[in-house]
Amino acid sequence: MVTEALAVAATTLAAVFLIPQIVRLVKLQDAAGVSSVWAAFGVVTNATWVGYLAAVGLWAAVPAPALATLTYGVALCVIA
């Protein structure tokens, strides 16, 4: 239970910490130095976790990687 809570907290924080970078990208309209591969990898990795966690029925752990998938997806769209 503690391990799951820590994993959820860590993933949620990782997703939330992307928000300032997204805001900066939108504000400056300059993606120089920001890797689109990084954002795409974040989308794929976290979406895979969502699928796995749903498949094994760990529903409490699904929102954190789902949030990360969303924020990486937004970052990827802004970069593109």
Side-chain angles (χ1 to χ4, degrees), residues 11-12 14-19 22 38-50 62-79:
T11 306
T12 302
V16 171
F17 286 139
L18 291 174
I19 293 171
I22 293 168
W38 157 79
F41 186 72
V43 168
V44 171
T45 302
N46 285 287
T48 302
W49 273 113
V50 169
V62 169
L67 175 62
T69 301
L70 177 66
T71 54
Y72 276 109
V74 169
L76 185 61
C77 289
V78 171
I79 293 167

Side-chain angles (χ1 to χ4, degrees), residues 20-32 78:
Q21 183 163 13
I22 293 168
V23 170
R24 183 179 183 278
L25 286 167
V26 169
K27 199 179 278 189
L28 297 179
Q29 295 292 309
D30 183 16
V78 171

